[in-house]
Amino acid sequence: MDEKIDKKTEAALMKALENAKAFSQKLQENKEKRLWKKVDIPCSLYDAINGLTRAEMDTIRKNYDFKNLSALKKADLAAELARLIPFKFKKVIYTLDQSRYDFIKIIIKNSGVIPDIGISVTNVEAFMGFSIIFPGLYDDQKVLFMPDELINIFSQIDGSELENIVQRNTEWIRLTHGLLYYYGVMDAWLVKEKIKELTGQEVDLLEFMNVMSFACDFYGQARCTPYGYQDDRVFDAKKIVEEHRMRPGVDYYPFTKKQLLKAGDPDYVDKTPEMNSFISFLLKYYKLSDRETNEIALQITNMINADSKPTLIIQYLQSWMEFPSFEFVQQLTAKIMELYNNTRQWVLKGHTPNELFQEERKYLKPLPAEPFKIGQLNSKVIDLSTRTKVGRNDPCPCGSGKKYKKCCGK
């Protein structure tokens, strides 16, 4: 009976997942259709904006912080945005980093229009949210274009001064992403102070926040929240902030500028000696590609930072691979303990548990170096040598000779 229920539940879950996937795909298709609409090239700023939805116009209005326009009808709002944007466009250009600056230069070099090169929907929407670049269909081909009025403004201000600002912004964004990679959440003022310390240059808070506002929309690596800037992997910013406040005597770990710039890369994984040792251990038993080992390293680092218990990490690994023996699980668990205690954690301000253990005995206790007992891995324990469930009155699989309920099943 239980087996039938399990099968029915499993079938229902699979069906729900399939439906969710289909719904997500449909939403993506509808978004694509909405973005790529017929346009005339060259296209004026008014015509480009007038082809948007009301919601898209409101995004532009909010990004530029235009007041007293929300009650206007759609056509009137398009006209007002087209009139006002050129006056504030210079400030938006001054928030660009190197990759977006270079991309705009390519479009301008090609008379304001290029074929779609596979840019993500998120990036298109971020550009469109500041009315810089718009998507469209021209001669049945997907294109990205820039209105003539804005090309002229960009060309007038382009030069060594803008290039210096772009380099500065690139460094600000990369350092912020690096700080959040290790600290999880930071107040905007504190990020600004850290960047000032690392670069040796004054940082205007408002300029910095304007730069990060566009960067958050475009890259998606960080978000601005009531708790400050947070890494996009963070689920519970409040908890991290509270943990930081619990340790007023602990400074943020002093990473170098080079370390933070490296950690600011979207694909970065901190390959510590312990992580490399863990990966080497797995490679003795399994044939894994670099992509797979990077994914495992990334997910385990994220799980440790999300305060997941080691048992959950083991369950995650079981979704990737079959464990060959009980001895393997013991060794694996010991490796995970070592990794856990030597991973830089958001709640510890970038320190590892081992680094803070001597200083913070009352707050923190590193996980034991010895392996977890098998009974801790799962409430439904499996004897991995026979692949069968262990009953409470069965001999304990650890080999003690005692019943499971009197030994590891306690």
Side-chain angles (χ1 to χ4, degrees):
M1 182 70 177
D2 285 343
E3 191 177 340
K4 287 182 180 178
I5 293 172
D6 287 344
K7 284 184 177 179
K8 283 177 70 176
T9 304
E10 186 179 344
L13 284 170
M14 289 301 294
K15 185 69 175 174
L17 285 170
E18 287 171 10
N19 288 341
K21 188 176 179 182
F23 180 68
S24 178
Q25 189 173 345
K26 188 69 177 174
L27 283 177
Q28 187 69 14
E29 288 172 1
N30 289 340
K31 187 178 277 190
E32 289 271 347
K33 286 179 183 177
R34 177 174 53 75
L35 282 176
W36 304 100
K37 293 177 290 193
K38 286 186 178 181
V39 293
D40 292 321
I41 302 292
C43 184
S44 70
L45 180 58
Y46 170 76
D47 288 336
I49 294 173
N50 197 41
L52 303 180
T53 65
R54 176 61 191 238
E56 288 164 344
M57 290 186 197
D58 282 335
T59 297
I60 295 173
R61 173 178 60 81
K62 291 171 185 175
N63 282 341
Y64 277 91
D65 196 27
F66 291 138
K67 307 293 186 185
N68 306 317
L69 301 182
S70 59
L72 293 178
K73 292 180 180 177
K74 186 170 176 288
D76 294 334
L77 178 58
E80 272 301 283
L81 289 174
R83 183 180 71 83
L84 294 171
I85 284 170
F87 296 106
K88 283 198 172 184
F89 191 62
K90 181 177 178 179
K91 287 186 178 179
V92 171
I93 297 303
Y94 278 10
T95 67
L96 297 173
D97 66 346
Q98 197 67 53
S99 65
R100 284 172 289 167
Y101 171 81
D102 290 343
F103 190 67
I104 291 170
K105 292 273 282 187
I106 290 169
I107 292 182
I108 292 175
K109 189 177 178 180
N110 287 273
S111 304
V113 60
I114 60 169
D116 172 41
I117 55 173
I119 186 171
S120 72
V121 170
T122 300
N123 288 167
V124 171
E125 289 180 326
F127 273 132
M128 200 167 65
F130 283 92
S131 71
I132 301 173
I133 294 168
F134 296 84
L137 279 175
Y138 181 66
D139 285 344
D140 296 323
Q141 184 181 23
K142 287 182 178 180
V143 297
L144 297 165
F145 68 92
M146 192 170 176
D148 288 343
E149 300 97 313
L150 303 187
I151 290 175
N152 293 333
I153 295 171
F154 184 92
S155 299
Q156 286 169 15
I157 62 175
D158 193 20
S160 57
E161 182 190 357
L162 177 57
E163 287 172 357
N164 289 336
I165 290 171
V166 165
Q167 288 177 11
R168 179 204 68 181
N169 295 346
T170 304
E171 194 169 70
W172 281 2
I173 293 165
R174 196 69 174 262
L175 286 172
T176 302
H177 287 161
L179 289 165
L180 297 178
Y181 178 88
Y182 285 116
Y183 303 145
V185 184
M186 287 187 87
D187 179 76
W189 182 86
L190 187 54
V191 175
K192 186 265 291 187
E193 287 297 299
K194 282 284 182 185
I195 292 175
K196 175 185 172 182
E197 179 185 321
L198 290 160
T199 62
Q201 296 176 342
E202 287 294 330
V203 178
D204 182 273
L205 182 60
L206 185 57
E207 280 185 36
F208 169 73
M209 292 178 71
N210 286 337
V211 167
M212 283 308 302
S213 177
F214 195 176
C216 287
D217 288 343
F218 192 83
Y219 293 110
Q221 278 181 252
R223 285 178 286 161
C224 186
T225 73
Y227 301 100
Y229 291 111
Q230 70 178 57
D231 190 284
D232 197 52
R233 298 168 296 154
V234 171
F235 288 108
D236 191 348
K238 182 181 178 183
K239 178 184 176 182
I240 294 170
V241 170
E242 287 173 349
E243 291 279 356
H244 287 180
R245 288 172 180 164
M246 281 174 60
R247 297 174 172 84
V250 176
D251 289 332
Y252 287 88
Y253 184 86
F255 295 102
T256 65
K257 183 179 176 181
K258 184 177 179 180
Q259 285 175 312
L260 293 171
L261 289 172
K262 193 174 179 182
D265 187 285
D267 300 318
Y268 179 75
V269 180
D270 192 5
K271 293 289 185 67
T272 61
E274 292 77 18
M275 179 60 80
N276 285 329
S277 173
F278 177 76
I279 295 299
S280 296
F281 170 75
L282 291 181
L283 290 173
K284 289 179 184 177
Y285 294 87
Y286 305 99
K287 188 176 181 180
L288 299 168
S289 66
D290 288 344
R291 184 187 63 79
E292 287 170 329
T293 56
N294 279 338
E295 178 66 19
I296 289 171
L298 176 66
Q299 293 303 332
I300 289 178
T301 301
N302 291 349
M303 291 172 79
I304 291 172
N305 271 305
D307 202 26
S308 298
K309 301 304 176 193
T311 48
L312 193 60
I313 295 172
I314 292 174
Q315 288 170 21
Y316 162 73
L317 290 170
Q318 275 186 305
S319 72
W320 275 78
M321 54 195 72
E322 264 194 53
F323 296 164
S325 66
F326 174 68
E327 289 73 24
F328 171 85
V329 176
Q330 288 183 308
Q331 294 176 55
L332 176 69
T333 308
K335 287 287 184 185
I336 289 173
M337 300 306 147
E338 182 184 31
L339 188 56
Y340 195 102
N341 287 326
N342 290 282
T343 295
R344 302 202 172 281
Q345 297 182 23
W346 296 331
V347 295
L348 303 182
K349 297 182 179 178
H351 294 268
T352 69
N354 273 347
E355 286 172 345
L356 290 190
F357 180 45
Q358 297 301 323
E359 191 177 339
E360 285 206 314
R361 287 178 183 274
K362 65 178 180 179
Y363 291 121
L364 179 71
K365 186 176 182 181
L367 292 165
E370 69 271 11
F372 273 7
K373 293 178 181 178
I374 191 69
Q376 290 175 283
L377 295 180
N378 200 312
S379 58
K380 293 183 179 178
V381 176
I382 303 292
D383 183 340
L384 293 175
S385 61
T386 62
R387 308 296 292 177
T388 56
K389 290 182 182 178
V390 179
R392 284 176 53 74
N393 292 307
D394 291 339
C396 189
C398 75
S400 67
K402 298 179 183 179
K403 289 183 179 181
Y404 171 65
K405 67 180 180 182
K406 296 287 188 180
C407 188
C408 294
K410 282 186 177 181

